[in-house]
Amino acid sequence: MSKLLQWYQGLAEREQRMVLWGALAAVLLLVLALLLPLQRAVAAGEQRLLGKQQDLAWLQMAAPQLAALGNAPPRSSGESLVVLADRVARQTGIAGSLTGSQPSGDGGLRVRVEKVAFDALAAWLGQLVQQHGVRIENASIDALPAPGTVNATLVLRSG
C-alpha cells in the first residue's frame, strides 16, 4: 500500500486529480453494477411474496366453501370421463388448451392442459366436480410467465 501511495504522491497535481476522479468513477460504477441488480431482485422477490400472500388469503377464505363441496354427493351423468371432460372443456372455453389425455389406473384419466387462464381452468374443474361428481385425485399446476396463465397435469376420477 505504501508503494501505491508513493506512486500517487509522485504524480503531478493534475495527474493526481485525474487518478482520483477515475478511481471515484470506477467505485461508483462498481457500486451501481452491484446494487441496482440487487435492488431489482429484492423488489421482484417482494412482489412475488405479496402475490403469494394474496393467493394464500384467497385460499384460506375459499377453504370452507371447498370443504363443503367435498361433502356433496357425486352426480354422475353416465358419460365416460374422457367424453365428459372434453364436453365440459368446450363449454368452459378451454378445449384448445387440452393437449392430451390418457387412462390412469382404475377408471382414472390423466389430463394435460397447457397455456390456459387459471380462472378458466378453475371453472372447468369446478363444473366437473360440482355438476358431474368428478374427483380430482392429483393436480400439478405450474405458473407461466404470462400473468394468470398456467400449465397443469391432472388426474381425474369419476365419482
Side-chain angles (χ1 to χ4, degrees):
M1 190 71 166
S2 65
K3 287 185 180 187
L4 183 61
L5 188 57
Q6 285 176 345
W7 170 80
Y8 179 75
Q9 290 173 346
L11 296 174
E13 186 178 335
R14 182 174 179 218
E15 292 172 336
Q16 286 180 352
R17 275 185 292 195
M18 288 176 50
V19 168
L20 182 62
W21 283 107
L24 287 174
V27 167
L28 182 63
L29 285 174
L30 183 63
V31 166
L32 290 176
L34 293 175
L35 290 182
L36 284 180
L38 182 60
Q39 187 272 337
R40 286 186 186 129
V42 168
E46 288 173 345
Q47 197 66 22
R48 280 193 311 272
L49 177 62
L50 179 62
K52 293 194 182 292
Q53 287 172 335
Q54 290 171 344
D55 291 345
L56 177 61
W58 181 84
L59 285 171
Q60 287 173 335
M61 183 183 71
Q65 295 170 338
L66 294 173
L69 290 175
N71 297 332
R75 291 170 268 171
S76 178
S77 63
E79 289 178 288
S80 76
L81 192 51
V82 174
V83 172
L84 178 64
D86 184 61
R87 180 174 58 79
V88 175
R90 290 181 196 287
Q91 290 172 352
T92 56
I94 70 163
S97 297
L98 290 176
T99 59
S101 63
Q102 61 186 23
S104 173
D106 185 30
L109 180 67
R110 180 178 302 275
V111 180
R112 178 75 180 155
V113 185
E114 294 182 353
K115 297 178 185 170
V116 65
F118 179 78
D119 292 344
L121 177 67
W124 175 62
L125 291 172
Q127 190 169 340
L128 285 172
V129 170
Q130 292 174 352
Q131 296 178 7
H132 303 285
V134 173
R135 290 179 314 178
I136 303 168
E137 231 176 49
N138 191 350
S140 173
I141 301 173
D142 300 311
L144 296 176
T149 306
V150 297
N151 285 341
T153 302
L154 308 148
V155 177
L156 307 175
R157 191 162 309 278
S158 295

